[in-house]
Structure formats: structure tokens, C-alpha cells
Amino acid sequence: MTVTIYDVAREAGVSMATVSRVVNNNPNVKPQTRKKVFEAIERLGYRPNAVARGLASKKTTTVGVVIPDISNTMYSEVVRGIEDIANMYHYNMILCNSDKKKEKEIRVINTLLEKQVDGLLFMGGVVTDEHIEAFRTSVPIVLCATTDANRIMPSVDIDHEAAAYDAVKLLIDNGHRSIGMISGNLQDPSNGFARYQGYKRALEEAGIPFRESHVRVGNYRYESGLETMQYFLQLEDRPTAMFAATDEMAIGAIHAIQDAGLRVPEDIAVISVDNARMASMVRPQLTTVAQPMYDIGAVSMRLLTKLMKKEPVSNPVVVLPHETIMRKSVAHA
């Protein structure tokens, strides 16, 4: 039979209200009484009913986390940062994978809200009007590693345009004038398009003409980097350097270059943005502009705790710094 709060109260010789106060860490309980209740809980094997506690307090101490691709190691770092801060503030997590599909994202958001989560962290691609409509709720929501186009919603991310600019400028400073780009989704304003804009700005400031033929869109994954690089290798005016919007696509590009019998960086230099673990595993090791993924997760969760507790927030749109990590895929100037 299920052990109830009534059973614990009877075993400890106290009221059910006293047991409830002990379980919920209410300080207004004498130490001797608290000890007696905990001993009864241990003897009976009582487990507090989280649903019942949530109904009573109107809080579930649970946050929902929507992740676009659970197989991507970048997002696992974000989730680790979220979980560490969630544990610190005694929140549980419900983690949902959306496969980067808008319909599934909307469905998962609604499901988490129906489960009465106290807050929601959303990681995804394009934040559409449908997403904004789904976010119209009294539950605090923070965008994590993404932003909405108008920067209305609370969010934590990097400046993707500036990160891409720094990556391409490094190639230019190393003497490259013919630079190709393997882009992400240009319909994604906060990531794909922003990195594309950073690429264009770096070329423009250096007086290098922008060429449509030197930009191809990938899907952020290794295979698209491999295939897209094969296109660039066939060009008569083949680029001497490549900027890939993600590490996975950059590694695909490196392998395509090597498969063609060419060398990185001697024949073609390669740089990207992210700094996933695989960036240091590939040979040559990948020069990349690092996103502080753990910090993005940790800061997002801390911001969400403030919103859930109705604490003052001076700036709900947080932009964290990025950093260039020099390795071997770009020659030093």
C-alpha cells in the first residue's frame, strides 16, 4: 500500500500540517519534532507526492527544457550548465528533443506548459510568430542559445554576427582574399543569417568583393560540409580559405579537402564558429570562435530562476562574450 502523509503523521505523533512543513523545509518546526518526522519518513519509506505538493503550492519546482538536437554535443554542454544551476536552486528538469522541427517545437512547448512547469527554457532555430504565440503565457520563458528577431523575449546568447566577423577577419589578416562560406539556414535571423552578415561585413571592410558563388548553404551537419566543400573544390577560382558556420560543417570541409589530395591549411585554410569537443579531435585541429556553451546554459537557468521568483532583472537580453581559439587549420600570420 502507498504510504501517505497521514501515515507519517500518525507514526510520528504529530499533525499532517507539521509533516507538510517538515517536507517543505519550513523553518517553523522545532528541531526535535523535525527529527521525529524524518525518522518516521525513513521507517515507512514515505515519498512525498510531487503532484499533490504542486497543486497545494501552485508550484511544481520543475522547468521544461526544449533542445533542438540531443545528439549534438554542443547542446549537451548547454544542458549541463542548465542542470548545475537547476540543482543549485532545487529545480527538476524535463528535457524534450524537438529535432529542429517547428511543428514538434510548438507541440512540445504546449505539452510542457500543460504539465504545469514553473518555467521554460527554449533552444531552437527560427523563433517564428507561432512560437511567440505559444509563449504567450504567465509561465516565465527564456530563449537559450537563440534569440527572437526583435529581441523582445528574455534570452541568453552570443553575438553571432560579431563571432563570424572575427573568424573571417582572422583569415583576411592571414593574407586570404578569396574566402568561401558554408552557411547555415539564412532564414534563421539569430544564427544562420547573423553569421552570414558577419562574413559579408568582414569582406566589405577589407575591400574584398562579395561573390554569391562563394557562399553555399548547409544544414549545420558534417555531411553538408563534406558535400558543399566538394562544390568549392570544382571551382576554377577555388577559395584559398573557408569559413564554415559550424564546427561539424568545417570538419566535413576538412575531410573533403584531404580526400581531394590537398592540405589544410597549406592549400586551403578552414575556420568555424562553435568550439565543440570534436574541434580539437580532428587533424589538423580546427581553429574556431568559441561559444561559451556551458555558461549560456548556466546563465539562462539563473535568469529563469529570477523570473520565476519575480526577482528584479536589469537586462533580460544577455549577450555573452565569444573567444577565438587558435589551432592548426589556419596558418599563423
Side-chain angles (χ1 to χ4, degrees), residues 171-202:
L171 294 174
I172 293 168
D173 290 345
N174 275 267
H176 294 283
R177 305 286 295 178
S178 178
I179 303 170
M181 178 181 184
I182 305 175
S183 171
N185 178 10
L186 296 183
Q187 303 305 310
D188 177 359
S190 69
N191 188 320
F193 187 69
R195 294 183 185 187
Y196 170 73
Q197 290 289 83
Y199 164 79
K200 288 182 68 176
R201 178 163 71 92

mmCIF file of all heavy atoms in Angstrom, residues 171-202:
data_model
loop_
_atom_site.group_PDB
_atom_site.id
_atom_site.type_symbol
_atom_site.label_atom_id
_atom_site.label_comp_id
_atom_site.label_asym_id
_atom_site.label_seq_id
_atom_site.Cartn_x
_atom_site.Cartn_y
_atom_site.Cartn_z
ATOM 1 N N LEU A 171 41.092 35.209 -41.107
ATOM 2 C CA LEU A 171 41.547 34.700 -42.406
ATOM 3 C C LEU A 171 42.137 35.823 -43.253
ATOM 4 O O LEU A 171 43.176 35.663 -43.895
ATOM 5 C CB LEU A 171 40.378 34.039 -43.145
ATOM 6 C CG LEU A 171 39.794 32.772 -42.519
ATOM 7 C CD1 LEU A 171 38.560 32.323 -43.288
ATOM 8 C CD2 LEU A 171 40.830 31.652 -42.461
ATOM 9 N N ILE A 172 41.456 36.958 -43.228
ATOM 10 C CA ILE A 172 41.932 38.119 -44.007
ATOM 11 C C ILE A 172 43.289 38.585 -43.476
ATOM 12 O O ILE A 172 44.209 38.886 -44.255
ATOM 13 C CB ILE A 172 40.891 39.258 -43.956
ATOM 14 C CG1 ILE A 172 39.614 38.837 -44.692
ATOM 15 C CG2 ILE A 172 41.459 40.544 -44.566
ATOM 16 C CD1 ILE A 172 38.437 39.757 -44.470
ATOM 17 N N ASP A 173 43.420 38.628 -42.152
ATOM 18 C CA ASP A 173 44.696 39.046 -41.544
ATOM 19 C C ASP A 173 45.831 38.076 -41.874
ATOM 20 O O ASP A 173 47.009 38.439 -41.784
ATOM 21 C CB ASP A 173 44.544 39.159 -40.026
ATOM 22 C CG ASP A 173 43.666 40.330 -39.608
ATOM 23 O OD1 ASP A 173 43.418 41.214 -40.451
ATOM 24 O OD2 ASP A 173 43.213 40.348 -38.440
ATOM 25 N N ASN A 174 45.452 36.844 -42.249
ATOM 26 C CA ASN A 174 46.446 35.854 -42.656
ATOM 27 C C ASN A 174 46.713 35.898 -44.163
ATOM 28 O O ASN A 174 47.338 34.985 -44.706
ATOM 29 C CB ASN A 174 46.007 34.458 -42.235
ATOM 30 C CG ASN A 174 46.401 34.128 -40.804
ATOM 31 O OD1 ASN A 174 47.448 33.559 -40.545
ATOM 32 N ND2 ASN A 174 45.554 34.513 -39.860
ATOM 33 N N GLY A 175 46.215 36.936 -44.830
ATOM 34 C CA GLY A 175 46.538 37.158 -46.231
ATOM 35 C C GLY A 175 45.540 36.602 -47.230
ATOM 36 O O GLY A 175 45.768 36.688 -48.441
ATOM 37 N N HIS A 176 44.439 36.016 -46.790
ATOM 38 C CA HIS A 176 43.460 35.422 -47.709
ATOM 39 C C HIS A 176 42.534 36.497 -48.291
ATOM 40 O O HIS A 176 42.007 37.340 -47.559
ATOM 41 C CB HIS A 176 42.637 34.361 -47.000
ATOM 42 C CG HIS A 176 43.448 33.171 -46.582
ATOM 43 N ND1 HIS A 176 43.838 32.199 -47.468
ATOM 44 C CD2 HIS A 176 43.959 32.825 -45.371
ATOM 45 C CE1 HIS A 176 44.544 31.280 -46.823
ATOM 46 N NE2 HIS A 176 44.643 31.640 -45.555
ATOM 47 N N ARG A 177 42.355 36.446 -49.610
ATOM 48 C CA ARG A 177 41.442 37.372 -50.292
ATOM 49 C C ARG A 177 40.298 36.632 -50.974
ATOM 50 O O ARG A 177 39.321 37.254 -51.396
ATOM 51 C CB ARG A 177 42.212 38.173 -51.358
ATOM 52 C CG ARG A 177 43.414 38.921 -50.854
ATOM 53 C CD ARG A 177 43.043 40.152 -50.061
ATOM 54 N NE ARG A 177 42.365 41.158 -50.873
ATOM 55 C CZ ARG A 177 41.898 42.310 -50.393
ATOM 56 N NH1 ARG A 177 42.032 42.577 -49.095
ATOM 57 N NH2 ARG A 177 41.294 43.177 -51.178
ATOM 58 N N SER A 178 40.421 35.319 -51.087
ATOM 59 C CA SER A 178 39.362 34.501 -51.696
ATOM 60 C C SER A 178 38.850 33.541 -50.621
ATOM 61 O O SER A 178 39.464 32.523 -50.338
ATOM 62 C CB SER A 178 39.914 33.727 -52.895
ATOM 63 O OG SER A 178 38.910 32.905 -53.458
ATOM 64 N N ILE A 179 37.719 33.927 -50.020
ATOM 65 C CA ILE A 179 37.207 33.200 -48.851
ATOM 66 C C ILE A 179 35.784 32.714 -49.122
ATOM 67 O O ILE A 179 34.882 33.523 -49.394
ATOM 68 C CB ILE A 179 37.219 34.099 -47.590
ATOM 69 C CG1 ILE A 179 38.643 34.612 -47.331
ATOM 70 C CG2 ILE A 179 36.664 33.345 -46.390
ATOM 71 C CD1 ILE A 179 38.721 35.691 -46.270
ATOM 72 N N GLY A 180 35.603 31.412 -49.059
ATOM 73 C CA GLY A 180 34.279 30.843 -49.236
ATOM 74 C C GLY A 180 33.573 30.682 -47.898
ATOM 75 O O GLY A 180 34.206 30.676 -46.840
ATOM 76 N N MET A 181 32.249 30.535 -47.966
ATOM 77 C CA MET A 181 31.475 30.319 -46.735
ATOM 78 C C MET A 181 30.495 29.172 -46.907
ATOM 79 O O MET A 181 29.749 29.127 -47.894
ATOM 80 C CB MET A 181 30.694 31.570 -46.325
ATOM 81 C CG MET A 181 29.860 31.335 -45.071
ATOM 82 S SD MET A 181 28.895 32.762 -44.538
ATOM 83 C CE MET A 181 28.179 32.106 -43.011
ATOM 84 N N ILE A 182 30.505 28.241 -45.950
ATOM 85 C CA ILE A 182 29.459 27.223 -45.851
ATOM 86 C C ILE A 182 28.522 27.715 -44.755
ATOM 87 O O ILE A 182 28.843 27.659 -43.568
ATOM 88 C CB ILE A 182 30.027 25.835 -45.511
ATOM 89 C CG1 ILE A 182 31.101 25.446 -46.529
ATOM 90 C CG2 ILE A 182 28.913 24.801 -45.480
ATOM 91 C CD1 ILE A 182 31.807 24.140 -46.213
ATOM 92 N N SER A 183 27.388 28.229 -45.177
ATOM 93 C CA SER A 183 26.478 28.912 -44.268
ATOM 94 C C SER A 183 25.474 27.951 -43.646
ATOM 95 O O SER A 183 25.266 26.836 -44.124
ATOM 96 C CB SER A 183 25.737 30.017 -45.034
ATOM 97 O OG SER A 183 24.704 30.569 -44.259
ATOM 98 N N GLY A 184 24.827 28.429 -42.588
ATOM 99 C CA GLY A 184 23.671 27.737 -42.042
ATOM 100 C C GLY A 184 22.407 28.287 -42.663
ATOM 101 O O GLY A 184 22.450 29.005 -43.672
ATOM 102 N N ASN A 185 21.273 27.982 -42.075
ATOM 103 C CA ASN A 185 19.970 28.408 -42.565
ATOM 104 C C ASN A 185 19.860 29.931 -42.549
ATOM 105 O O ASN A 185 19.849 30.556 -41.482
ATOM 106 C CB ASN A 185 18.880 27.785 -41.686
ATOM 107 C CG ASN A 185 17.487 28.210 -42.101
ATOM 108 O OD1 ASN A 185 17.287 28.827 -43.149
ATOM 109 N ND2 ASN A 185 16.502 27.889 -41.270
ATOM 110 N N LEU A 186 19.734 30.552 -43.717
ATOM 111 C CA LEU A 186 19.665 32.009 -43.804
ATOM 112 C C LEU A 186 18.307 32.555 -43.373
ATOM 113 O O LEU A 186 18.133 33.768 -43.252
ATOM 114 C CB LEU A 186 19.994 32.467 -45.231
ATOM 115 C CG LEU A 186 21.419 32.156 -45.708
ATOM 116 C CD1 LEU A 186 21.652 32.714 -47.096
ATOM 117 C CD2 LEU A 186 22.457 32.711 -44.734
ATOM 118 N N GLN A 187 17.339 31.660 -43.141
ATOM 119 C CA GLN A 187 16.049 32.091 -42.602
ATOM 120 C C GLN A 187 16.091 32.216 -41.082
ATOM 121 O O GLN A 187 15.123 32.660 -40.463
ATOM 122 C CB GLN A 187 14.957 31.085 -42.990
ATOM 123 C CG GLN A 187 14.820 30.859 -44.491
ATOM 124 C CD GLN A 187 14.593 32.153 -45.254
ATOM 125 O OE1 GLN A 187 13.734 32.941 -44.894
ATOM 126 N NE2 GLN A 187 15.376 32.360 -46.305
ATOM 127 N N ASP A 188 17.198 31.802 -40.497
ATOM 128 C CA ASP A 188 17.371 31.870 -39.046
ATOM 129 C C ASP A 188 18.084 33.180 -38.718
ATOM 130 O O ASP A 188 19.292 33.298 -38.906
ATOM 131 C CB ASP A 188 18.205 30.675 -38.573
ATOM 132 C CG ASP A 188 18.498 30.709 -37.082
ATOM 133 O OD1 ASP A 188 18.067 31.668 -36.421
ATOM 134 O OD2 ASP A 188 19.165 29.786 -36.589
ATOM 135 N N PRO A 189 17.340 34.210 -38.240
ATOM 136 C CA PRO A 189 17.943 35.535 -38.074
ATOM 137 C C PRO A 189 19.004 35.609 -36.994
ATOM 138 O O PRO A 189 19.944 36.394 -37.098
ATOM 139 C CB PRO A 189 16.742 36.429 -37.719
ATOM 140 C CG PRO A 189 15.735 35.497 -37.131
ATOM 141 C CD PRO A 189 15.928 34.180 -37.848
ATOM 142 N N SER A 190 18.883 34.794 -35.952
ATOM 143 C CA SER A 190 19.790 34.932 -34.811
ATOM 144 C C SER A 190 21.057 34.111 -34.943
ATOM 145 O O SER A 190 21.978 34.270 -34.156
ATOM 146 C CB SER A 190 19.066 34.521 -33.514
ATOM 147 O OG SER A 190 18.814 33.132 -33.514
ATOM 148 N N ASN A 191 21.115 33.224 -35.939
ATOM 149 C CA ASN A 191 22.286 32.357 -36.060
ATOM 150 C C ASN A 191 22.758 32.317 -37.511
ATOM 151 O O ASN A 191 23.745 32.945 -37.870
ATOM 152 C CB ASN A 191 21.957 30.950 -35.542
ATOM 153 C CG ASN A 191 23.171 30.061 -35.456
ATOM 154 O OD1 ASN A 191 24.039 30.082 -36.320
ATOM 155 N ND2 ASN A 191 23.258 29.263 -34.413
ATOM 156 N N GLY A 192 22.040 31.594 -38.372
ATOM 157 C CA GLY A 192 22.471 31.426 -39.746
ATOM 158 C C GLY A 192 22.666 32.744 -40.481
ATOM 159 O O GLY A 192 23.733 33.015 -41.052
ATOM 160 N N PHE A 193 21.649 33.606 -40.457
ATOM 161 C CA PHE A 193 21.737 34.870 -41.186
ATOM 162 C C PHE A 193 22.742 35.813 -40.532
ATOM 163 O O PHE A 193 23.469 36.534 -41.217
ATOM 164 C CB PHE A 193 20.363 35.535 -41.267
ATOM 165 C CG PHE A 193 20.350 36.753 -42.148
ATOM 166 C CD1 PHE A 193 20.505 36.636 -43.529
ATOM 167 C CD2 PHE A 193 20.195 38.017 -41.602
ATOM 168 C CE1 PHE A 193 20.502 37.756 -44.343
ATOM 169 C CE2 PHE A 193 20.196 39.141 -42.407
ATOM 170 C CZ PHE A 193 20.347 39.018 -43.784
ATOM 171 N N ALA A 194 22.781 35.801 -39.189
ATOM 172 C CA ALA A 194 23.713 36.687 -38.489
ATOM 173 C C ALA A 194 25.160 36.348 -38.843
ATOM 174 O O ALA A 194 25.987 37.236 -39.057
ATOM 175 C CB ALA A 194 23.491 36.581 -36.978
ATOM 176 N N ARG A 195 25.489 35.057 -38.933
ATOM 177 C CA ARG A 195 26.861 34.666 -39.271
ATOM 178 C C ARG A 195 27.173 35.006 -40.736
ATOM 179 O O ARG A 195 28.300 35.389 -41.056
ATOM 180 C CB ARG A 195 27.060 33.176 -38.980
ATOM 181 C CG ARG A 195 26.957 32.864 -37.492
ATOM 182 C CD ARG A 195 27.222 31.406 -37.138
ATOM 183 N NE ARG A 195 26.983 31.173 -35.698
ATOM 184 C CZ ARG A 195 27.248 30.063 -35.065
ATOM 185 N NH1 ARG A 195 27.786 29.035 -35.711
ATOM 186 N NH2 ARG A 195 26.995 29.932 -33.775
ATOM 187 N N TYR A 196 26.188 34.884 -41.583
ATOM 188 C CA TYR A 196 26.329 35.290 -42.985
ATOM 189 C C TYR A 196 26.617 36.792 -43.070
ATOM 190 O O TYR A 196 27.489 37.238 -43.826
ATOM 191 C CB TYR A 196 25.046 34.923 -43.723
ATOM 192 C CG TYR A 196 24.891 35.471 -45.116
ATOM 193 C CD1 TYR A 196 25.639 34.962 -46.174
ATOM 194 C CD2 TYR A 196 23.975 36.479 -45.378
ATOM 195 C CE1 TYR A 196 25.484 35.457 -47.462
ATOM 196 C CE2 TYR A 196 23.801 36.972 -46.661
ATOM 197 C CZ TYR A 196 24.557 36.463 -47.703
ATOM 198 O OH TYR A 196 24.388 36.953 -48.974
ATOM 199 N N GLN A 197 25.916 37.591 -42.266
ATOM 200 C CA GLN A 197 26.125 39.035 -42.254
ATOM 201 C C GLN A 197 27.520 39.386 -41.734
ATOM 202 O O GLN A 197 28.164 40.319 -42.231
ATOM 203 C CB GLN A 197 25.061 39.712 -41.373
ATOM 204 C CG GLN A 197 23.659 39.685 -41.951
ATOM 205 C CD GLN A 197 23.517 40.601 -43.149
ATOM 206 O OE1 GLN A 197 23.867 40.234 -44.280
ATOM 207 N NE2 GLN A 197 23.017 41.798 -42.914
ATOM 208 N N GLY A 198 27.999 38.634 -40.744
ATOM 209 C CA GLY A 198 29.350 38.871 -40.237
ATOM 210 C C GLY A 198 30.408 38.583 -41.287
ATOM 211 O O GLY A 198 31.409 39.305 -41.409
ATOM 212 N N TYR A 199 30.195 37.527 -42.060
ATOM 213 C CA TYR A 199 31.085 37.167 -43.176
ATOM 214 C C TYR A 199 31.137 38.312 -44.192
ATOM 215 O O TYR A 199 32.222 38.752 -44.605
ATOM 216 C CB TYR A 199 30.570 35.881 -43.815
ATOM 217 C CG TYR A 199 31.108 35.554 -45.193
ATOM 218 C CD1 TYR A 199 32.368 34.986 -45.367
ATOM 219 C CD2 TYR A 199 30.329 35.786 -46.331
ATOM 220 C CE1 TYR A 199 32.852 34.673 -46.629
ATOM 221 C CE2 TYR A 199 30.797 35.468 -47.598
ATOM 222 C CZ TYR A 199 32.062 34.920 -47.746
ATOM 223 O OH TYR A 199 32.527 34.608 -49.005
ATOM 224 N N LYS A 200 29.967 38.809 -44.574
ATOM 225 C CA LYS A 200 29.903 39.876 -45.573
ATOM 226 C C LYS A 200 30.559 41.160 -45.061
ATOM 227 O O LYS A 200 31.268 41.845 -45.798
ATOM 228 C CB LYS A 200 28.444 40.150 -45.960
ATOM 229 C CG LYS A 200 27.811 39.051 -46.799
ATOM 230 C CD LYS A 200 26.375 39.390 -47.191
ATOM 231 C CE LYS A 200 26.316 40.547 -48.159
ATOM 232 N NZ LYS A 200 24.921 40.819 -48.606
ATOM 233 N N ARG A 201 30.335 41.481 -43.775
ATOM 234 C CA ARG A 201 30.905 42.721 -43.214
ATOM 235 C C ARG A 201 32.428 42.669 -43.203
ATOM 236 O O ARG A 201 33.106 43.667 -43.513
ATOM 237 C CB ARG A 201 30.361 42.958 -41.811
ATOM 238 C CG ARG A 201 30.934 44.206 -41.141
ATOM 239 C CD ARG A 201 30.096 44.633 -39.951
ATOM 240 N NE ARG A 201 30.212 43.740 -38.822
ATOM 241 C CZ ARG A 201 31.098 43.883 -37.829
ATOM 242 N NH1 ARG A 201 31.978 44.891 -37.858
ATOM 243 N NH2 ARG A 201 31.115 43.037 -36.807
ATOM 244 N N ALA A 202 32.988 41.510 -42.856
ATOM 245 C CA ALA A 202 34.448 41.387 -42.832
ATOM 246 C C ALA A 202 35.038 41.583 -44.234
ATOM 247 O O ALA A 202 36.058 42.261 -44.397
ATOM 248 C CB ALA A 202 34.848 40.025 -42.278
#
